[in-house]
Amino acid sequence: MIGSHATTVESAWANPKAVELEQKIADIDLLVQQLEDRSAQVKSIREGLAGQHKALAAEIQVVLKSFGIKNLSQAQRHLRLHYNLELLRTVYTYMDELDAKLLGYQTGRDRLAYLRQLAEDDIKMITTLNDLKIDALTTQISLVINRYLPEAHTIQIDPQRLSLATIDQVWERVSKGR
């Protein structure tokens, strides 16, 4: 155990760029795990919203058939439909935002996996690479990590930045059974 630690310390002194790349790989691995955790959390939240969507859409369809409502104008005059459509505006908006988050997390994981592979390849070839190439890679890794790090700790949705789906968009989705 002591011998392997001494070897690691010796290799650190012998090649600090390799140690720097190994640290970047560890940073990448941690961030990828955090993004996977946020993805699972987003999927869970989205499933809950999808359940609300399904219940509201089913109720709307029953009322539409029961009262023979054919258009948005008629639907808005029916109090229950009006409220359900307004609720769906919020549900659709957040579902769409969560879908965008999932795509962003996947993009981040893909970029990080690519950079991790580059770092691993560079470690294997460390003796032939110049320091500038390694510095450029570690800088690139740092930039990508810094881009995704805030999202890795908590799902960030700014309600002030969101614009609700229009009632016409909601009606279009509901009337088509989506």
Side-chain angles (χ1 to χ4, degrees):
M1 186 79 153
I2 293 174
S4 67
H5 178 68
T7 305
T8 304
V9 171
E10 288 171 16
S11 70
W13 286 108
N15 203 329
K17 291 297 181 182
V19 173
E20 184 179 4
L21 285 173
E22 288 170 359
Q23 181 57 50
K24 290 296 182 184
I25 289 171
D27 293 345
I28 287 171
D29 290 344
L30 178 61
L31 182 54
V32 165
Q33 182 58 52
Q34 290 171 325
L35 290 174
E36 287 173 0
D37 292 346
R38 291 303 74 73
S39 291
Q41 190 178 14
V42 165
K43 287 175 185 176
S44 175
I45 293 167
R46 194 182 184 297
E47 285 176 18
L49 287 173
Q52 290 177 344
H53 163 263
K54 186 176 180 179
L56 288 167
E59 184 177 333
I60 288 170
Q61 291 301 323
V62 167
V63 174
L64 291 178
K65 289 177 185 171
S66 297
F67 290 93
I69 295 172
K70 301 285 186 216
N71 59 47
L72 177 57
S73 177
Q74 292 173 335
Q76 285 183 310
R77 287 192 296 262
H78 190 278
L79 193 58
R80 186 69 178 178
L81 281 177
H82 174 75
Y83 286 126
N84 283 351
L85 290 170
E86 289 296 327
L87 283 171
L88 277 178
R89 287 180 67 198
T90 302
V91 169
Y92 283 144
T93 299
Y94 278 93
M95 286 176 71
D96 292 346
E97 184 68 16
L98 291 172
D99 288 343
K101 291 286 178 195
L102 283 173
L103 182 59
Y105 295 157
Q106 183 59 50
T107 300
R109 290 193 313 265
D110 291 346
R111 289 177 72 183
L112 291 165
Y114 171 74
L115 291 171
R116 185 185 198 290
Q117 186 60 54
L118 286 178
E120 287 178 342
D121 293 346
D122 284 1
I123 287 172
K124 292 174 189 170
M125 301 180 351
I126 201 86
T127 56
T128 61
L129 295 176
N130 65 37
D131 287 349
L132 291 177
K133 183 175 187 288
I134 293 170
D135 290 343
L137 177 59
T138 58
T139 299
Q140 185 180 9
I141 290 170
S142 293
L143 290 171
V144 173
I145 285 173
N146 291 336
R147 159 63 182 87
Y148 291 98
L149 197 56
E151 290 280 344
H153 297 294
T154 183
I155 299 168
Q156 297 181 4
I157 297 176
D158 181 4
Q160 301 299 320
R161 192 181 57 80
L162 294 179
S163 57
L164 289 176
T166 66
I167 198 72
D168 292 327
Q169 292 168 327
V170 172
W171 175 254
E172 184 69 23
R173 285 176 161 179
V174 169
S175 64
K176 291 183 177 178
R178 293 188 301 167

